[in-house]
Amino acid sequence: MRQIVMVSGFLMAFTFGAVVVIRYGFGGDLFAYEEWLLGISIVGFFAGAVLASARNLHINADILGIVIQNPRMIWWRGFIVLTVELLVILFLMYACYVSLLDDFSFPRLRATPVLRIPFVTWRIGIMVAFGFMAMFTTAYLYVHIRQGLGLPLKSAAAKEAAK
């Protein structure tokens, strides 16, 4: 994932720099860069989101995480945050589904003007990415609930058995 994020970030920075130099320096045009760069930026964005979630480094503007000291209230706060996160992701998946239905309602798929890349390809990719996000959030919520109930996890049992 780190390599995907680094390569996509470098490609975006390099491409935008090249566009500025070629367009304003030489009066030229970089042929259809926004069309193929869109796919790279979507993959880079979701790969970065996966890295941030896995390391718990995503932006969290919730002051309650600092203020609440009671372990029971901390658990309830985590439960509510994960539940709201899952509901938002499921709504975004539904919005992607509606968007796909709209795309497939036309006799011909709408496409980018130059390379003729169907818009549906990016929308399917985004929907799949939101599906993975929903799956991981559901898994985090499941683990959070099991830990809150004091039930053992298979990974914790395997660690204990290895000792």
Side-chain angles (χ1 to χ4, degrees), residues 17-85:
V19 166
V20 169
V21 170
I22 291 171
R23 182 176 290 159
Y24 300 112
F26 299 110
D29 191 18
L30 200 61
F31 179 73
Y33 74 93
E34 61 275 342
E35 294 181 13
W36 55 265
L37 194 60
L38 178 61
I40 293 171
S41 65
I42 289 170
V43 170
F45 171 79
F46 282 108
V50 167
L51 280 175
S53 291
R55 296 188 170 114
N56 204 16
L57 297 175
H58 51 310
I59 297 172
N60 190 354
D62 185 10
I63 194 72
L64 292 177
I66 299 169
V67 175
I68 298 175
Q69 301 296 323
N70 182 351
R72 186 177 174 105
M73 292 302 293
I74 290 172
W75 183 88
W76 275 106
R77 178 199 158 273
F79 176 77
I80 291 169
V81 166
L82 286 170
T83 303
V84 168
E85 183 178 334

Side-chain angles (χ1 to χ4, degrees), residues 49-122:
V50 167
L51 280 175
S53 291
R55 296 188 170 114
N56 204 16
L57 297 175
H58 51 310
I59 297 172
N60 190 354
D62 185 10
I63 194 72
L64 292 177
I66 299 169
V67 175
I68 298 175
Q69 301 296 323
N70 182 351
R72 186 177 174 105
M73 292 302 293
I74 290 172
W75 183 88
W76 275 106
R77 178 199 158 273
F79 176 77
I80 291 169
V81 166
L82 286 170
T83 303
V84 168
E85 183 178 334
L86 181 62
L87 291 174
V88 168
I89 292 171
L90 291 175
F91 173 76
L92 290 172
M93 280 186 64
Y94 173 73
C96 288
Y97 173 73
V98 170
S99 175
L100 286 174
L101 286 181
D102 180 55
D103 274 345
F104 287 119
S105 68
F106 289 95
R108 289 182 36 190
L109 291 176
R110 292 175 286 183
T112 58
V114 179
L115 298 177
R116 307 298 304 158
I117 301 170
F119 289 125
V120 74
T121 57
W122 291 308

